[in-house]
């Protein structure tokens, strides 16, 4: 596991923010254990043991003493706060962003959203962040960005911000009414609903064209 | 020994708490009166905050849940932390906010795949937290969701971290809460379903535990709604008593409201 110089304090991830997935799950949302669709952003933490970097190898997960049968990856645009952000409106939210970067969320497959997924999401080194932080002043409108993920050179996912349930500004505003965000804290705003399956040794590259890329490789 | 962190004239100080309640600066041995300080969270560099849901047999019954077969663990942000005798807020327009008095085990040594028999070697000591919840905000997605459990100020902790060896056996400690002087929660850690050694083994199989990580072990029955103006005291035998003042959202945030 590698310390990451970009993120400080906390890394908040937003689940179920891909409108394709959200719409496809409507019937499931109505059933147990969910019983109704989420009315708020669905959030989880990647704690500090998960933080890793550009170029780092990601350990293959071990569950119950055995190598995990499956792992998946999702990539997300992430905002890095530049100043303290407490109870801000969507209109002013982007003023608090210091820069933009990428987060890889390596995990066990997302089988249920009912309980916090500690076993699936808290694996050591499973959240590389980077490679660089692009200054917010270089990005006019984050809603125009799109994240492409390749595994061993083949495109497995594309997540345009135009496909989100909630955009960057709305998420920052909503989350800032739950928790005050400090400089260096990160929100990963939109993972593709279909996480990509990965195998041992796979090379995973995600990119916002012309802006930033993040490269990692699965361990053996 | 009891280790605490306080603000004195705007500066953070590491202190020990003497038997007579006086504070003693670790830097220069200066004795300080409690009345002159603001208590901070006793954990200087807080790591991951783990909390347990439904981990007391009596509380699971109270909420009409089957006791879980596996621990229900959730994570909390460090924005939730505040010290002893500080304000915590009640959000506007809600019906039910309750306290949860909990024993917290603080990790003192990094480890992974720690066996139950060795687990206590990785514990530095204990403190008390009040893991407030706002039941109105519960949704069945990553429940208990961050909106319920990761709000500013809603994890008072302290007053101090007490060394593990000063406490000894933690398997039958009284856990009580008083609201405005009235006893509202009266349990014992003997009702804990998944104990500290189990949780250290369980979590460290999943991930590396590090110094400053905390495990809040859940709460017994006795939930009660809180209102601005209430004073709540969470106490665990041999560890300490943690006082929190409930204020309105507007009073808490002031200019940012």
């Amino acid at each position: 596991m590698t310390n990451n110089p970009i993120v400080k304090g906390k890394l908040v991830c937003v689940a179920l923010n891909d409108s394709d997935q959200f719409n496809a799950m409507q019937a499931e949302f109505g059933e147990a254990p969910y019983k109704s669709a989420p009315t708020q952003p669905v959030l989880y933490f990647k704690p500090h043991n998960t933080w890793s970097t550009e170029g780092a190898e990601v350990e293959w997960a071990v569950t119950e003493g055995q190598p995990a049968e499956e792992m998946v990856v999702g990539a997300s645009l992430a905002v890095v706060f530049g100043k303290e952000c407490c109870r801000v409106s969507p209109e002013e939210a982007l003023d608090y962003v210091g820069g933009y970067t990428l987060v890889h969320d390596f995990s066990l497959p997302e089988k249920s959203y009912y309980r916090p997924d500690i076993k699936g999401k808290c694996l050591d080194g499973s959240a590389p962040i980077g490679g660089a932080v692009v200054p917010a002043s270089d990005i006019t409108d984050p809603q125009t960005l799109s994240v492409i993920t390749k595994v061993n050179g083949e495109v497995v996912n594309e997540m345009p911000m135009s496909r989100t349930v909630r955009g960057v500004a709305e998420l920052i505003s909503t989350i800032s009414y739950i928790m005050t965000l400090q400089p260096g804290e990160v929100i990963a705003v939109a993972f593709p609903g279909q996480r990509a399956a990965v195998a041992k040794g796979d090379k995973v590259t995600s990119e916002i064209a012309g802006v930033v890329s993040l490269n990692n490789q699965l361990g053996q | 020994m009891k280790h605490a962190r306080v603000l004195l004239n705007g500066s953070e100080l590491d202190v020990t708490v003497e038997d007579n309640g006086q504070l003693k600066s670790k830097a220069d041995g200066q004795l300080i009166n409690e009345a002159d300080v603001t208590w901070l969270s006793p954990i200087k560099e807080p790591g991951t905050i783990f909390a347990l849901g439904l981990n007391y047999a009596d509380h699971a019954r109270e909420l009409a849940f089957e006791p879980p077969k596996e621990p229900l663990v959730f994570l909390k942000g460090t924005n939730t932390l505040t010290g002893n005798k500080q304000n915590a807020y009640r959000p506007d327009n809600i019906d039910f906010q309750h306290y949860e008095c909990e024993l917290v085990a603080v990790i003192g040594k990094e480890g992974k795949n720690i066996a139950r028999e060795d687990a206590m070697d990785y514990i530095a000591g204990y403190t008390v937290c009040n893991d407030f919840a706002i039941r109105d905000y519960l949704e069945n997605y990553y429940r208990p969701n961050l909106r319920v459990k990761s709000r500013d100020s809603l994890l008072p902790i302290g007053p101090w971290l007490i060394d593990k060896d000063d406490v000894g056996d933690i398997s039958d400690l009284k856990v009580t809460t008083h609201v405005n002087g009235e006893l509202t929660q009266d349990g014992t850690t003997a009702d804990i379903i998944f104990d500290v050694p189990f949780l250290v083994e369980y979590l460290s199989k999943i991930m590396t535990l590090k110094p400053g990580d905390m495990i809040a072990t859940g709460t017994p029955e006795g939930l009660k709604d809180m209102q601005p103006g209430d004073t709540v005291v969470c106490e665990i035998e041999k560890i300490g008593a943690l006082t929190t003042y409930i204020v309105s959202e507007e009073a808490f945030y002031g200019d940012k409201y």
Side-chain angles (χ1 to χ4, degrees), chain B residues 71-103:
Chain B
L72 167 53
V73 180
F74 56 96
L75 307 182
K76 298 175 67 80
T78 50
N79 61 295
T80 59
L81 295 169
T82 189
N84 181 40
K85 298 186 179 174
Q86 301 306 303
N87 292 338
Y89 80 97
R90 177 187 172 91
D92 297 341
N93 307 313
I94 59 156
D95 287 331
F96 197 15
Q97 170 179 25
H98 61 76
Y99 49 77
E100 297 187 1
C101 177
E102 307 197 8
L103 168 70

PDB file of all heavy atoms in Angstrom, chain B residues 71-103:
ATOM      1  N   PRO B  71     -20.890  -9.210  11.818  1.00  0.00           N
ATOM      2  CA  PRO B  71     -20.962  -7.822  12.296  1.00  0.00           C
ATOM      3  C   PRO B  71     -21.509  -6.877  11.222  1.00  0.00           C
ATOM      4  O   PRO B  71     -21.186  -7.029  10.050  1.00  0.00           O
ATOM      5  CB  PRO B  71     -19.507  -7.476  12.609  1.00  0.00           C
ATOM      6  CG  PRO B  71     -18.749  -8.736  12.598  1.00  0.00           C
ATOM      7  CD  PRO B  71     -19.538  -9.755  11.851  1.00  0.00           C
ATOM      8  N   LEU B  72     -22.347  -5.924  11.637  1.00  0.00           N
ATOM      9  CA  LEU B  72     -22.775  -4.847  10.745  1.00  0.00           C
ATOM     10  C   LEU B  72     -21.835  -3.660  11.006  1.00  0.00           C
ATOM     11  O   LEU B  72     -21.956  -2.975  12.023  1.00  0.00           O
ATOM     12  CB  LEU B  72     -24.229  -4.467  11.034  1.00  0.00           C
ATOM     13  CG  LEU B  72     -24.733  -3.167  10.401  1.00  0.00           C
ATOM     14  CD1 LEU B  72     -24.487  -3.143   8.898  1.00  0.00           C
ATOM     15  CD2 LEU B  72     -26.197  -2.965  10.711  1.00  0.00           C
ATOM     16  N   VAL B  73     -20.866  -3.496  10.097  1.00  0.00           N
ATOM     17  CA  VAL B  73     -19.839  -2.468  10.267  1.00  0.00           C
ATOM     18  C   VAL B  73     -20.109  -1.341   9.282  1.00  0.00           C
ATOM     19  O   VAL B  73     -20.422  -1.588   8.122  1.00  0.00           O
ATOM     20  CB  VAL B  73     -18.432  -3.047   9.987  1.00  0.00           C
ATOM     21  CG1 VAL B  73     -17.358  -1.970  10.160  1.00  0.00           C
ATOM     22  CG2 VAL B  73     -18.143  -4.236  10.897  1.00  0.00           C
ATOM     23  N   PHE B  74     -19.998  -0.105   9.757  1.00  0.00           N
ATOM     24  CA  PHE B  74     -20.036   1.041   8.849  1.00  0.00           C
ATOM     25  C   PHE B  74     -18.907   1.989   9.212  1.00  0.00           C
ATOM     26  O   PHE B  74     -18.299   1.867  10.279  1.00  0.00           O
ATOM     27  CB  PHE B  74     -21.408   1.732   8.871  1.00  0.00           C
ATOM     28  CG  PHE B  74     -21.878   2.176  10.224  1.00  0.00           C
ATOM     29  CD1 PHE B  74     -21.679   3.480  10.649  1.00  0.00           C
ATOM     30  CD2 PHE B  74     -22.531   1.299  11.080  1.00  0.00           C
ATOM     31  CE1 PHE B  74     -22.127   3.917  11.895  1.00  0.00           C
ATOM     32  CE2 PHE B  74     -22.982   1.719  12.335  1.00  0.00           C
ATOM     33  CZ  PHE B  74     -22.780   3.022  12.742  1.00  0.00           C
ATOM     34  N   LEU B  75     -18.601   2.905   8.305  1.00  0.00           N
ATOM     35  CA  LEU B  75     -17.490   3.841   8.489  1.00  0.00           C
ATOM     36  C   LEU B  75     -18.042   5.248   8.695  1.00  0.00           C
ATOM     37  O   LEU B  75     -19.100   5.587   8.164  1.00  0.00           O
ATOM     38  CB  LEU B  75     -16.562   3.839   7.271  1.00  0.00           C
ATOM     39  CG  LEU B  75     -16.019   2.485   6.822  1.00  0.00           C
ATOM     40  CD1 LEU B  75     -15.079   2.663   5.622  1.00  0.00           C
ATOM     41  CD2 LEU B  75     -15.296   1.774   7.951  1.00  0.00           C
ATOM     42  N   LYS B  76     -17.287   6.042   9.456  1.00  0.00           N
ATOM     43  CA  LYS B  76     -17.694   7.422   9.703  1.00  0.00           C
ATOM     44  C   LYS B  76     -16.578   8.380   9.319  1.00  0.00           C
ATOM     45  O   LYS B  76     -15.402   8.055   9.465  1.00  0.00           O
ATOM     46  CB  LYS B  76     -18.019   7.590  11.192  1.00  0.00           C
ATOM     47  CG  LYS B  76     -19.188   6.712  11.633  1.00  0.00           C
ATOM     48  CD  LYS B  76     -19.427   6.798  13.110  1.00  0.00           C
ATOM     49  CE  LYS B  76     -19.911   8.139  13.566  1.00  0.00           C
ATOM     50  NZ  LYS B  76     -21.353   8.355  13.354  1.00  0.00           N
ATOM     51  N   GLY B  77     -16.940   9.560   8.869  1.00  0.00           N
ATOM     52  CA  GLY B  77     -15.934  10.559   8.510  1.00  0.00           C
ATOM     53  C   GLY B  77     -15.374  11.252   9.746  1.00  0.00           C
ATOM     54  O   GLY B  77     -16.050  11.337  10.782  1.00  0.00           O
ATOM     55  N   THR B  78     -14.151  11.758   9.631  1.00  0.00           N
ATOM     56  CA  THR B  78     -13.536  12.438  10.776  1.00  0.00           C
ATOM     57  C   THR B  78     -14.188  13.794  11.065  1.00  0.00           C
ATOM     58  O   THR B  78     -13.968  14.366  12.136  1.00  0.00           O
ATOM     59  CB  THR B  78     -12.026  12.653  10.535  1.00  0.00           C
ATOM     60  OG1 THR B  78     -11.856  13.241   9.242  1.00  0.00           O
ATOM     61  CG2 THR B  78     -11.274  11.349  10.583  1.00  0.00           C
ATOM     62  N   ASN B  79     -14.996  14.300  10.121  1.00  0.00           N
ATOM     63  CA  ASN B  79     -15.742  15.537  10.375  1.00  0.00           C
ATOM     64  C   ASN B  79     -16.736  15.369  11.514  1.00  0.00           C
ATOM     65  O   ASN B  79     -17.229  16.354  12.058  1.00  0.00           O
ATOM     66  CB  ASN B  79     -16.506  15.971   9.118  1.00  0.00           C
ATOM     67  CG  ASN B  79     -17.516  14.921   8.691  1.00  0.00           C
ATOM     68  OD1 ASN B  79     -17.116  13.807   8.317  1.00  0.00           O
ATOM     69  ND2 ASN B  79     -18.782  15.221   8.760  1.00  0.00           N
ATOM     70  N   THR B  80     -17.043  14.119  11.868  1.00  0.00           N
ATOM     71  CA  THR B  80     -18.041  13.874  12.917  1.00  0.00           C
ATOM     72  C   THR B  80     -17.477  14.085  14.314  1.00  0.00           C
ATOM     73  O   THR B  80     -18.227  14.220  15.268  1.00  0.00           O
ATOM     74  CB  THR B  80     -18.545  12.415  12.848  1.00  0.00           C
ATOM     75  OG1 THR B  80     -17.434  11.521  13.017  1.00  0.00           O
ATOM     76  CG2 THR B  80     -19.219  12.118  11.522  1.00  0.00           C
ATOM     77  N   LEU B  81     -16.139  14.086  14.427  1.00  0.00           N
ATOM     78  CA  LEU B  81     -15.509  14.068  15.752  1.00  0.00           C
ATOM     79  C   LEU B  81     -15.588  15.427  16.449  1.00  0.00           C
ATOM     80  O   LEU B  81     -15.366  16.470  15.833  1.00  0.00           O
ATOM     81  CB  LEU B  81     -14.034  13.682  15.626  1.00  0.00           C
ATOM     82  CG  LEU B  81     -13.754  12.260  15.128  1.00  0.00           C
ATOM     83  CD1 LEU B  81     -12.275  12.099  14.795  1.00  0.00           C
ATOM     84  CD2 LEU B  81     -14.191  11.233  16.164  1.00  0.00           C
ATOM     85  N   THR B  82     -15.896  15.381  17.725  1.00  0.00           N
ATOM     86  CA  THR B  82     -15.759  16.557  18.568  1.00  0.00           C
ATOM     87  C   THR B  82     -15.431  16.077  19.985  1.00  0.00           C
ATOM     88  O   THR B  82     -15.486  14.875  20.252  1.00  0.00           O
ATOM     89  CB  THR B  82     -17.013  17.448  18.517  1.00  0.00           C
ATOM     90  OG1 THR B  82     -16.736  18.676  19.197  1.00  0.00           O
ATOM     91  CG2 THR B  82     -18.210  16.788  19.176  1.00  0.00           C
ATOM     92  N   GLY B  83     -15.043  16.998  20.864  1.00  0.00           N
ATOM     93  CA  GLY B  83     -14.555  16.594  22.182  1.00  0.00           C
ATOM     94  C   GLY B  83     -15.623  16.612  23.267  1.00  0.00           C
ATOM     95  O   GLY B  83     -16.806  16.875  23.026  1.00  0.00           O
ATOM     96  N   ASN B  84     -15.163  16.360  24.476  1.00  0.00           N
ATOM     97  CA  ASN B  84     -16.021  16.387  25.660  1.00  0.00           C
ATOM     98  C   ASN B  84     -16.532  17.822  25.905  1.00  0.00           C
ATOM     99  O   ASN B  84     -15.823  18.795  25.671  1.00  0.00           O
ATOM    100  CB  ASN B  84     -15.191  15.914  26.857  1.00  0.00           C
ATOM    101  CG  ASN B  84     -15.959  15.867  28.157  1.00  0.00           C
ATOM    102  OD1 ASN B  84     -17.120  15.471  28.177  1.00  0.00           O
ATOM    103  ND2 ASN B  84     -15.303  16.269  29.246  1.00  0.00           N
ATOM    104  N   LYS B  85     -17.779  17.900  26.394  1.00  0.00           N
ATOM    105  CA  LYS B  85     -18.385  19.190  26.767  1.00  0.00           C
ATOM    106  C   LYS B  85     -18.468  20.162  25.588  1.00  0.00           C
ATOM    107  O   LYS B  85     -18.328  21.372  25.757  1.00  0.00           O
ATOM    108  CB  LYS B  85     -17.635  19.832  27.951  1.00  0.00           C
ATOM    109  CG  LYS B  85     -17.705  18.962  29.211  1.00  0.00           C
ATOM    110  CD  LYS B  85     -17.114  19.638  30.421  1.00  0.00           C
ATOM    111  CE  LYS B  85     -17.246  18.721  31.645  1.00  0.00           C
ATOM    112  NZ  LYS B  85     -16.557  19.256  32.815  1.00  0.00           N
ATOM    113  N   GLN B  86     -18.663  19.600  24.390  1.00  0.00           N
ATOM    114  CA  GLN B  86     -18.836  20.433  23.198  1.00  0.00           C
ATOM    115  C   GLN B  86     -20.279  20.302  22.700  1.00  0.00           C
ATOM    116  O   GLN B  86     -21.035  19.453  23.153  1.00  0.00           O
ATOM    117  CB  GLN B  86     -17.864  19.999  22.094  1.00  0.00           C
ATOM    118  CG  GLN B  86     -16.399  20.080  22.504  1.00  0.00           C
ATOM    119  CD  GLN B  86     -16.028  21.461  23.017  1.00  0.00           C
ATOM    120  OE1 GLN B  86     -16.192  22.454  22.310  1.00  0.00           O
ATOM    121  NE2 GLN B  86     -15.554  21.532  24.255  1.00  0.00           N
ATOM    122  N   ASN B  87     -20.616  21.162  21.722  1.00  0.00           N
ATOM    123  CA  ASN B  87     -21.951  21.144  21.136  1.00  0.00           C
ATOM    124  C   ASN B  87     -22.041  20.098  20.024  1.00  0.00           C
ATOM    125  O   ASN B  87     -21.097  19.897  19.269  1.00  0.00           O
ATOM    126  CB  ASN B  87     -22.286  22.501  20.527  1.00  0.00           C
ATOM    127  CG  ASN B  87     -22.440  23.585  21.584  1.00  0.00           C
ATOM    128  OD1 ASN B  87     -22.690  23.278  22.752  1.00  0.00           O
ATOM    129  ND2 ASN B  87     -22.289  24.822  21.173  1.00  0.00           N
ATOM    130  N   ALA B  88     -23.201  19.475  19.931  1.00  0.00           N
ATOM    131  CA  ALA B  88     -23.566  18.654  18.779  1.00  0.00           C
ATOM    132  C   ALA B  88     -24.942  19.139  18.361  1.00  0.00           C
ATOM    133  O   ALA B  88     -25.707  19.633  19.197  1.00  0.00           O
ATOM    134  CB  ALA B  88     -23.597  17.181  19.158  1.00  0.00           C
ATOM    135  N   TYR B  89     -25.259  19.033  17.063  1.00  0.00           N
ATOM    136  CA  TYR B  89     -26.495  19.695  16.649  1.00  0.00           C
ATOM    137  C   TYR B  89     -27.609  18.722  16.272  1.00  0.00           C
ATOM    138  O   TYR B  89     -27.371  17.599  15.865  1.00  0.00           O
ATOM    139  CB  TYR B  89     -26.234  20.679  15.502  1.00  0.00           C
ATOM    140  CG  TYR B  89     -26.121  20.084  14.115  1.00  0.00           C
ATOM    141  CD1 TYR B  89     -27.220  20.078  13.249  1.00  0.00           C
ATOM    142  CD2 TYR B  89     -24.919  19.568  13.652  1.00  0.00           C
ATOM    143  CE1 TYR B  89     -27.112  19.575  11.959  1.00  0.00           C
ATOM    144  CE2 TYR B  89     -24.811  19.057  12.368  1.00  0.00           C
ATOM    145  CZ  TYR B  89     -25.910  19.053  11.528  1.00  0.00           C
ATOM    146  OH  TYR B  89     -25.815  18.541  10.258  1.00  0.00           O
ATOM    147  N   ARG B  90     -28.828  19.237  16.469  1.00  0.00           N
ATOM    148  CA  ARG B  90     -30.013  18.528  15.984  1.00  0.00           C
ATOM    149  C   ARG B  90     -30.437  19.191  14.676  1.00  0.00           C
ATOM    150  O   ARG B  90     -30.721  20.398  14.653  1.00  0.00           O
ATOM    151  CB  ARG B  90     -31.164  18.641  16.994  1.00  0.00           C
ATOM    152  CG  ARG B  90     -32.458  17.982  16.520  1.00  0.00           C
ATOM    153  CD  ARG B  90     -33.609  18.263  17.480  1.00  0.00           C
ATOM    154  NE  ARG B  90     -34.875  17.791  16.943  1.00  0.00           N
ATOM    155  CZ  ARG B  90     -35.383  16.567  17.162  1.00  0.00           C
ATOM    156  NH1 ARG B  90     -34.723  15.705  17.896  1.00  0.00           N
ATOM    157  NH2 ARG B  90     -36.542  16.219  16.643  1.00  0.00           N
ATOM    158  N   PRO B  91     -30.465  18.430  13.567  1.00  0.00           N
ATOM    159  CA  PRO B  91     -30.904  19.032  12.304  1.00  0.00           C
ATOM    160  C   PRO B  91     -32.350  19.537  12.411  1.00  0.00           C
ATOM    161  O   PRO B  91     -33.153  19.011  13.185  1.00  0.00           O
ATOM    162  CB  PRO B  91     -30.814  17.867  11.304  1.00  0.00           C
ATOM    163  CG  PRO B  91     -29.846  16.905  11.918  1.00  0.00           C
ATOM    164  CD  PRO B  91     -30.047  17.032  13.399  1.00  0.00           C
ATOM    165  N   ASP B  92     -32.650  20.539  11.614  1.00  0.00           N
ATOM    166  CA  ASP B  92     -34.017  21.075  11.557  1.00  0.00           C
ATOM    167  C   ASP B  92     -34.970  20.031  10.971  1.00  0.00           C
ATOM    168  O   ASP B  92     -34.560  19.200  10.152  1.00  0.00           O
ATOM    169  CB  ASP B  92     -34.055  22.308  10.629  1.00  0.00           C
ATOM    170  CG  ASP B  92     -33.192  23.455  11.143  1.00  0.00           C
ATOM    171  OD1 ASP B  92     -32.857  23.460  12.345  1.00  0.00           O
ATOM    172  OD2 ASP B  92     -32.840  24.329  10.316  1.00  0.00           O
ATOM    173  N   ASN B  93     -36.211  20.121  11.351  1.00  0.00           N
ATOM    174  CA  ASN B  93     -37.292  19.378  10.688  1.00  0.00           C
ATOM    175  C   ASN B  93     -37.112  17.868  10.695  1.00  0.00           C
ATOM    176  O   ASN B  93     -37.332  17.200   9.688  1.00  0.00           O
ATOM    177  CB  ASN B  93     -37.458  19.856   9.224  1.00  0.00           C
ATOM    178  CG  ASN B  93     -37.619  21.357   9.136  1.00  0.00           C
ATOM    179  OD1 ASN B  93     -38.409  21.936   9.891  1.00  0.00           O
ATOM    180  ND2 ASN B  93     -36.860  21.995   8.261  1.00  0.00           N
ATOM    181  N   ILE B  94     -36.676  17.345  11.821  1.00  0.00           N
ATOM    182  CA  ILE B  94     -36.621  15.889  11.966  1.00  0.00           C
ATOM    183  C   ILE B  94     -37.437  15.482  13.186  1.00  0.00           C
ATOM    184  O   ILE B  94     -37.731  16.307  14.056  1.00  0.00           O
ATOM    185  CB  ILE B  94     -35.176  15.366  12.134  1.00  0.00           C
ATOM    186  CG1 ILE B  94     -34.497  15.993  13.361  1.00  0.00           C
ATOM    187  CG2 ILE B  94     -34.366  15.594  10.864  1.00  0.00           C
ATOM    188  CD1 ILE B  94     -33.382  15.157  13.913  1.00  0.00           C
ATOM    189  N   ASP B  95     -37.774  14.189  13.242  1.00  0.00           N
ATOM    190  CA  ASP B  95     -38.587  13.696  14.365  1.00  0.00           C
ATOM    191  C   ASP B  95     -37.784  12.930  15.404  1.00  0.00           C
ATOM    192  O   ASP B  95     -38.187  12.858  16.553  1.00  0.00           O
ATOM    193  CB  ASP B  95     -39.693  12.768  13.830  1.00  0.00           C
ATOM    194  CG  ASP B  95     -40.774  13.555  13.131  1.00  0.00           C
ATOM    195  OD1 ASP B  95     -40.979  14.732  13.501  1.00  0.00           O
ATOM    196  OD2 ASP B  95     -41.405  13.006  12.212  1.00  0.00           O
ATOM    197  N   PHE B  96     -36.670  12.289  14.982  1.00  0.00           N
ATOM    198  CA  PHE B  96     -36.034  11.396  15.951  1.00  0.00           C
ATOM    199  C   PHE B  96     -34.522  11.346  15.780  1.00  0.00           C
ATOM    200  O   PHE B  96     -34.008  10.829  14.795  1.00  0.00           O
ATOM    201  CB  PHE B  96     -36.625   9.979  15.826  1.00  0.00           C
ATOM    202  CG  PHE B  96     -36.339   9.089  17.013  1.00  0.00           C
ATOM    203  CD1 PHE B  96     -35.887   9.602  18.230  1.00  0.00           C
ATOM    204  CD2 PHE B  96     -36.543   7.719  16.919  1.00  0.00           C
ATOM    205  CE1 PHE B  96     -35.646   8.762  19.317  1.00  0.00           C
ATOM    206  CE2 PHE B  96     -36.292   6.871  18.002  1.00  0.00           C
ATOM    207  CZ  PHE B  96     -35.847   7.405  19.202  1.00  0.00           C
ATOM    208  N   GLN B  97     -33.842  11.939  16.753  1.00  0.00           N
ATOM    209  CA  GLN B  97     -32.385  11.871  16.834  1.00  0.00           C
ATOM    210  C   GLN B  97     -32.051  11.229  18.173  1.00  0.00           C
ATOM    211  O   GLN B  97     -32.513  11.696  19.208  1.00  0.00           O
ATOM    212  CB  GLN B  97     -31.784  13.278  16.781  1.00  0.00           C
ATOM    213  CG  GLN B  97     -30.284  13.312  17.111  1.00  0.00           C
ATOM    214  CD  GLN B  97     -29.704  14.723  17.030  1.00  0.00           C
ATOM    215  OE1 GLN B  97     -30.424  15.708  17.182  1.00  0.00           O
ATOM    216  NE2 GLN B  97     -28.423  14.809  16.786  1.00  0.00           N
ATOM    217  N   HIS B  98     -31.254  10.166  18.154  1.00  0.00           N
ATOM    218  CA  HIS B  98     -30.902   9.568  19.435  1.00  0.00           C
ATOM    219  C   HIS B  98     -29.400   9.427  19.599  1.00  0.00           C
ATOM    220  O   HIS B  98     -28.648   9.379  18.642  1.00  0.00           O
ATOM    221  CB  HIS B  98     -31.604   8.229  19.643  1.00  0.00           C
ATOM    222  CG  HIS B  98     -31.272   7.181  18.628  1.00  0.00           C
ATOM    223  ND1 HIS B  98     -30.083   6.485  18.633  1.00  0.00           N
ATOM    224  CD2 HIS B  98     -31.970   6.705  17.574  1.00  0.00           C
ATOM    225  CE1 HIS B  98     -30.075   5.627  17.636  1.00  0.00           C
ATOM    226  NE2 HIS B  98     -31.193   5.744  16.969  1.00  0.00           N
ATOM    227  N   TYR B  99     -28.991   9.396  20.869  1.00  0.00           N
ATOM    228  CA  TYR B  99     -27.590   9.167  21.243  1.00  0.00           C
ATOM    229  C   TYR B  99     -27.308   7.675  21.163  1.00  0.00           C
ATOM    230  O   TYR B  99     -28.237   6.836  21.133  1.00  0.00           O
ATOM    231  CB  TYR B  99     -27.370   9.653  22.690  1.00  0.00           C
ATOM    232  CG  TYR B  99     -28.429   9.098  23.593  1.00  0.00           C
ATOM    233  CD1 TYR B  99     -28.372   7.786  24.015  1.00  0.00           C
ATOM    234  CD2 TYR B  99     -29.544   9.863  23.934  1.00  0.00           C
ATOM    235  CE1 TYR B  99     -29.383   7.227  24.748  1.00  0.00           C
ATOM    236  CE2 TYR B  99     -30.558   9.308  24.674  1.00  0.00           C
ATOM    237  CZ  TYR B  99     -30.472   7.984  25.074  1.00  0.00           C
ATOM    238  OH  TYR B  99     -31.498   7.425  25.774  1.00  0.00           O
ATOM    239  N   GLU B 100     -26.049   7.308  21.166  1.00  0.00           N
ATOM    240  CA  GLU B 100     -25.634   5.907  21.326  1.00  0.00           C
ATOM    241  C   GLU B 100     -24.319   5.909  22.099  1.00  0.00           C
ATOM    242  O   GLU B 100     -23.290   6.303  21.558  1.00  0.00           O
ATOM    243  CB  GLU B 100     -25.449   5.221  19.965  1.00  0.00           C
ATOM    244  CG  GLU B 100     -26.729   5.138  19.149  1.00  0.00           C
ATOM    245  CD  GLU B 100     -26.597   4.308  17.878  1.00  0.00           C
ATOM    246  OE1 GLU B 100     -25.499   3.769  17.612  1.00  0.00           O
ATOM    247  OE2 GLU B 100     -27.606   4.217  17.146  1.00  0.00           O
ATOM    248  N   CYS B 101     -24.371   5.499  23.338  1.00  0.00           N
ATOM    249  CA  CYS B 101     -23.165   5.433  24.171  1.00  0.00           C
ATOM    250  C   CYS B 101     -22.376   4.172  23.813  1.00  0.00           C
ATOM    251  O   CYS B 101     -22.928   3.070  23.841  1.00  0.00           O
ATOM    252  CB  CYS B 101     -23.585   5.394  25.641  1.00  0.00           C
ATOM    253  SG  CYS B 101     -22.196   5.238  26.783  1.00  0.00           S
ATOM    254  N   GLU B 102     -21.101   4.358  23.453  1.00  0.00           N
ATOM    255  CA  GLU B 102     -20.334   3.217  22.957  1.00  0.00           C
ATOM    256  C   GLU B 102     -18.913   3.193  23.510  1.00  0.00           C
ATOM    257  O   GLU B 102     -18.253   4.223  23.618  1.00  0.00           O
ATOM    258  CB  GLU B 102     -20.261   3.266  21.411  1.00  0.00           C
ATOM    259  CG  GLU B 102     -21.634   3.381  20.781  1.00  0.00           C
ATOM    260  CD  GLU B 102     -21.693   3.025  19.317  1.00  0.00           C
ATOM    261  OE1 GLU B 102     -20.671   2.526  18.781  1.00  0.00           O
ATOM    262  OE2 GLU B 102     -22.755   3.255  18.712  1.00  0.00           O
ATOM    263  N   LEU B 103     -18.452   1.989  23.794  1.00  0.00           N
ATOM    264  CA  LEU B 103     -17.050   1.736  24.110  1.00  0.00           C
ATOM    265  C   LEU B 103     -16.257   1.768  22.797  1.00  0.00           C
ATOM    266  O   LEU B 103     -16.635   1.111  21.821  1.00  0.00           O
ATOM    267  CB  LEU B 103     -16.915   0.352  24.748  1.00  0.00           C
ATOM    268  CG  LEU B 103     -15.500  -0.198  24.890  1.00  0.00           C
ATOM    269  CD1 LEU B 103     -14.706   0.575  25.931  1.00  0.00           C
ATOM    270  CD2 LEU B 103     -15.533  -1.687  25.259  1.00  0.00           C
TER     271      LEU B 103
END
